[in-house]
Amino acid sequence: VMRLDPRSGAVTKTIHLGGSPTALVSAAGRVWVTVAPAPPPPPVTPGTAHFTMQDDFSSLDPALAQVPSTVVMYATCANLVTYPDKPAPAGSQIVPEVAEAVPTPTDGGRMYTFTIRSGFRFSPSSNEAVTAQTFKATIERVANPRLSSPFAYAFSGVAGYHNYVTGKAPGLSGVVARGDTLTITLSQPDGSFLANLAGGAACAVPPSTPAVPGGLNTIPSAGPYYIASYSPRQQLILRRNPNYRGDRPHHLDQMVFTIGTDSARALAEIKAGTADYAVDGLPRDAGPGLESQYGPDSKAARSGHQRYFISPANGVRILHMNASRPLFSNVRLRRAVNYAIDRSALAAQGQRFAEANPFNAGSPADSYMAPATAGAADFHLYPLAGPDLRRARQLAGNVHATAIMYTPDVAPWLQEAQIIGRDLQPLGIDVQLKEFPLDEFFDRISHRGEPFDLAVDGWYSNTTDPAATLEIFDGSTISADDNGDFSYLNDSAFDRQLHAAAALSGARRYSTYRQLDLELERDLAPAAAFATNASRDFFSARMGCQLYQPLYGIDLAALCLRSTGS
């Protein structure tokens, strides 16, 4: 409970309650708070790591888990195929996990056949073996409309899906389990299917797990760790799965998450060594000092004691140019903007506001695909160190125009918009800013016909599949509202190539999307990418084995304690 000064809003006193608040009443000039009983302290072991969370998990049911729950799912789940415990680019490649191999689709790209490895078992209290039937039941649970899983889309293309979700069939006819073989047949080819599986859509759960609204939070798991206990808004404990015989790392005996710790307190506890890592970030202004003292170029790093890590994440920040409006219907002018903007200055602004910003800026970049995207390549089309005004003016020609730029009224958008306005003046473009609250900003730019010419967006992809990035520019998806193509590019030839690429798989898929990315950035230039995303993570002195997995973030299963010699 915090006491605030009514004039300044400053916190004048903090009272730690020792439990999660369940009710609050004001009476006779006092505030009375009731709290839930604090969970019992976990048993102390040499291999225990202590993590903090400011906000609670939305759900710990693998069929419902969203960020930040996904970091827990990566430590606990066993999937048919997965992304390995490696940094990008190796960590972006799909590898087998419970399946013996990553299958090559047959039947014209519609059929995937998996042979299930023996030796995988669920954690206590289940202890049962993971089989082909396990995955059939898991997939049908995710697709069950009673659960309302955000991952149900991954199986909407499976043969028999409509009959199953409408109650006309007891199961998915396209998912067949016989012995140690699981066969999944799609209604039509979909090259992103394996990426959806690797992203956790079919995290194995015991076949008897019910599909109840809201899900379940303590389901036995078959990965390196399992949920030993969970007290909402208070504590989560993961323990090493004693039945796990897989290849993934599992150095720690247990992980204890203390929920409800604000970012300032988390930072103090990590510095003091009473906590090891803040799962959901640190105060906004903490980054520069931590980077100087503990970052990759610090004295601590040179002596082998780096504690602050900056890792390329699976996202980019990008300047959209509205191609449906007269000014930027001119592709030469769109290309001119790509030469005119100062990517280094824009990335630096994002870095200033990194810790509390969901679109953390990392390094200057000119590619729409983040480096973690499978098949991504840096074509070096546009300058990173500063503008190339000579080339920009050659492309722009004689321009005297006003561009309306929409921007949220918060950092770093405002600062980025000011830099972009400065950068486009030499081209003869006067940028006029219109500021909006963040939610209203996105509502407006997603509406077709909204009178804006420029807008900055940042996206973070929940898959390393290249289609997720390039399909943003699919003009055939543009509708009256809820658009994701904020550039409103509508090029039918490019759309046809995108649709053809969607059915491809394997190396051919990645090479095709790489070529499409080149053509989009070079020839159509609907946007100007200016920075990659980055994750910034700080650890206590005793933590080691830090690894940033490009899809899931900090790999909890890979962490170890320096003091144990792990």
Side-chain angles (χ1 to χ4, degrees):
V1 176
M2 292 179 290
R3 177 184 293 167
L4 305 179
D5 184 299
R7 293 180 180 176
S8 68
V11 177
T12 60
K13 186 175 182 180
T14 301
I15 304 169
H16 298 293
L17 303 177
S20 295
T22 58
L24 185 148
V25 175
S26 176
R30 298 191 177 192
V31 176
W32 300 83
V33 182
T34 59
V35 297
V44 178
T45 69
T48 297
H50 296 272
F51 305 143
T52 67
M53 298 277 299
Q54 183 160 320
D55 300 314
D56 202 355
F57 302 98
S58 57
S59 175
L60 291 170
D61 188 317
L64 300 175
Q66 306 267 11
V67 174
S69 305
T70 48
V71 71
V72 172
M73 295 304 106
Y74 189 55
T76 58
C77 279
N79 296 278
L80 287 164
V81 292
T82 191
Y83 293 106
D85 302 80
K86 297 178 180 179
S92 303
Q93 307 303 313
I94 298 170
V95 297
E97 186 171 13
V98 182
E100 287 190 350
V102 177
T104 299
T106 57
D107 189 19
R110 295 172 57 245
M111 181 178 291
Y112 293 80
T113 302
F114 302 87
T115 300
I116 305 302
R117 294 170 56 189
S118 61
F120 278 85
R121 307 187 72 85
F122 285 104
S123 60
S125 58
S126 169
N127 301 309
E128 62 184 294
V130 177
T131 66
Q133 184 59 43
T134 299
F135 282 103
K136 175 176 171 60
T138 292
I139 292 169
E140 290 177 342
R141 179 176 185 267
V142 173
N144 192 318
R146 289 196 300 272
L147 199 57
S148 298
S149 170
F151 303 115
Y153 76 91
F155 305 110
S156 60
V158 173
Y161 178 85
H162 177 74
N163 285 344
Y164 174 62
V165 299
T166 57
K168 296 178 182 178
L172 287 167
S173 61
V175 182
V176 178
R178 291 193 179 95
D180 62 356
T181 301
L182 179 77
T183 303
I184 302 176
T185 304
L186 308 181
S187 299
Q188 59 185 16
D190 178 6
S192 66
F193 182 66
L194 286 175
N196 290 335
L197 291 181
C203 167
V205 299
S208 59
T209 307
V212 296
L216 303 170
N217 284 321
T218 54
I219 302 172
S221 56
Y225 290 88
Y226 72 101
I227 297 174
S229 69
Y230 172 58
S231 300
R233 303 185 303 279
Q234 297 184 73
Q235 185 185 83
L236 166 71
I237 298 178
L238 302 186
R239 292 205 182 113
R240 187 186 296 169
N241 180 2
N243 299 323
Y244 184 69
R245 301 293 183 272
D247 302 325
R248 296 193 54 207
H250 43 285
H251 303 301
L252 299 170
D253 293 335
Q254 65 178 0
M255 310 175 203
V256 178
F257 299 73
T258 300
I259 302 167
T261 306
D262 67 76
S263 59
R265 184 179 177 189
L267 176 59
E269 291 183 357
I270 295 170
K271 286 183 175 180
T274 55
D276 296 307
Y277 175 58
V279 174
D280 49 2
L282 297 172
R284 173 174 292 178
D285 58 357
L290 292 174
E291 183 175 356
S292 174
Q293 190 170 1
Y294 301 110
D297 298 321
S298 65
K299 181 178 178 181
R302 291 192 293 273
S303 63
H305 296 92
Q306 181 179 347
R307 294 170 56 186
Y308 187 72
F309 295 81
I310 303 172
S311 310
N314 193 28
V316 296
R317 285 188 72 74
I318 194 165
L319 171 65
H320 289 274
M321 292 168 274
N322 190 341
S324 70
R325 298 259 293 166
L327 181 61
F328 289 116
S329 62
N330 181 345
V331 67
R332 286 180 63 87
L333 191 55
R334 299 199 300 264
R335 294 181 63 214
V337 170
N338 267 282
Y339 282 101
I341 62 171
D342 188 338
R343 289 175 170 83
S344 290
L346 289 166
Q349 282 300 320
Q351 292 164 9
R352 285 182 58 205
F353 302 96
E355 299 299 337
N357 174 20
F359 303 121
N360 294 350
S363 304
D366 66 332
S367 177
Y368 301 157
M369 285 189 184
T373 304
D378 189 345
F379 302 112
H380 303 290
L381 295 176
Y382 303 109
L384 301 184
D388 183 347
L389 287 178
R390 185 186 65 82
R391 181 66 175 136
R393 289 190 178 107
Q394 286 177 344
L395 286 165
N398 188 20
V399 179
H400 296 284
T402 296
I404 305 300
M405 182 168 186
Y406 282 12
T407 179
D409 56 2
V410 295
W413 277 274
L414 270 176
Q415 291 78 8
E416 291 167 344
Q418 290 162 0
I419 291 172
I420 290 165
R422 178 201 68 194
D423 291 344
L424 299 193
Q425 281 182 344
L427 299 186
I429 299 174
D430 177 31
V431 176
Q432 293 187 4
L433 301 184
K434 291 192 175 182
E435 301 173 19
F436 303 96
L438 187 59
D439 289 345
E440 183 180 350
F441 165 76
F442 281 109
D443 286 343
R444 284 178 174 271
I445 66 174
S446 64
H447 177 72
R448 185 178 63 186
E450 185 72 20
F452 75 95
D453 298 298
L454 298 165
V456 168
D457 177 35
W459 67 64
Y460 185 92
S461 181
N462 60 359
T463 175
T464 65
D465 189 73
T469 297
L470 296 195
E471 286 172 357
I472 292 171
F473 300 100
D474 184 353
S476 68
T477 66
I478 296 174
S479 59
D481 289 295
D482 299 322
N483 291 294
D485 180 3
F486 301 144
S487 299
Y488 292 91
L489 178 72
N490 194 356
D491 186 284
S492 57
F494 180 73
D495 295 346
R496 285 194 295 271
Q497 293 182 80
L498 270 183
H499 300 163
L504 302 177
S505 60
R508 187 182 175 198
R509 177 181 184 83
Y510 301 136
S511 63
T512 299
Y513 275 105
R514 185 184 303 115
Q515 181 63 30
L516 286 175
D517 183 35
L518 172 62
E519 294 173 9
L520 183 67
E521 295 175 19
R522 181 190 62 198
D523 303 333
L524 299 175
F530 59 81
T532 59
N533 282 9
S535 177
R536 291 166 167 80
D537 301 282
F538 180 51
F539 298 86
S540 71
R542 70 191 197 117
M543 293 304 300
C545 310
Q546 291 90 347
L547 186 156
Y548 189 87
Q549 212 290 328
L551 187 66
Y552 291 101
I554 289 297
D555 189 342
L556 301 183
L559 290 173
C560 63
L561 298 179
R562 293 178 184 268
S563 59
T564 63
S566 296

